[in-house]
Amino acid sequence: MSQPQGMLWLFCCDLPAMKPTVAPVTPSSLSPQTVALPPWQDSSFQRWYDDGEKLANAKAYERALRCFEEAAIIDPKSVPALVYQAVCLIHLGQPQQALALAEQVLAIAPDHAQGWLFRGVALHRLGRYSEAYACYGQVKAS
C-alpha cells in the first residue's frame, strides 16, 4: 500500500470486528500550539519537530521519537510533539509509555481529539478494552 507524502499512518484494528484498518494522522490535523516561543527556541523546536515528522513518515520510529523528545524539551507543552511521541511509542510496541504521554496531552488540552484517540489505542494495546472504548467515545468529530 503506498502512502501519501507527509502523512503518518497508525495501524490499528476496527475494534468490534477486529479487522485491520489504517488511520491517517497528518501534521496539519494536529492542534497548533498557541504558546509563542522566543525566535531562537522556535527555530530549534521546529527543526527537531520537522526532522521527527520526516523520520516518522519514513517509519523510522525510534529516531523520530528522539526528535520529538528533543522538541518537547524545548517546549514541554507542545501538544503536537507529545502526540507524535505517543504515536511513535505505539508503533514501537510501548503502549504504557504512550498512555502516559496521551494523559499528559489531555492534562494540557482536555478536549484534544488525538489525545483521546491515542489514549484509547494505548489502552487497547494493553488489553484494557472497556477503558479504550470510553476514550474512543470522547473523540469529537472534527
Side-chain angles (χ1 to χ4, degrees):
M1 172 189 321
S2 70
Q3 298 176 6
Q5 191 73 327
M7 295 187 97
L8 174 63
W9 291 85
L10 174 69
F11 294 89
C12 53
C13 289
D14 175 12
L15 298 178
M18 295 304 288
K19 295 178 190 168
T21 59
V22 179
V25 179
T26 60
S28 61
S29 69
L30 298 176
S31 298
Q33 186 65 24
T34 57
V35 176
L37 295 173
W40 66 270
Q41 276 187 323
D42 188 42
S43 66
S44 181
F45 170 87
Q46 199 61 52
R47 252 192 331 273
W48 282 113
Y49 186 87
D50 291 346
D51 287 350
E53 195 172 67
K54 288 174 193 166
L55 290 164
N57 289 331
K59 299 182 182 178
Y61 300 115
E62 283 186 38
R63 291 174 50 207
L65 177 60
R66 299 298 165 248
C67 291
F68 293 122
E69 289 172 339
E70 291 294 329
I73 289 170
I74 296 166
D75 184 2
K77 294 190 184 229
S78 170
V79 169
L82 296 171
V83 167
Y84 259 123
Q85 285 181 66
V87 170
C88 289
L89 287 164
I90 288 168
H91 280 287
L92 292 169
Q94 299 177 35
Q96 191 65 49
Q97 293 88 337
L99 177 60
L101 281 160
E103 289 175 348
Q104 205 175 336
V105 167
L106 294 171
I108 297 166
D111 294 326
H112 196 272
Q114 280 97 9
W116 285 108
L117 173 66
F118 295 118
R119 183 176 190 272
V121 172
L123 288 166
H124 184 256
R125 299 277 171 95
L126 290 167
R128 295 164 57 183
Y129 303 113
S130 61
E131 291 174 85
Y133 292 134
C135 289
Y136 298 139
Q138 294 292 322
V139 177
K140 310 248 187 314
S142 24

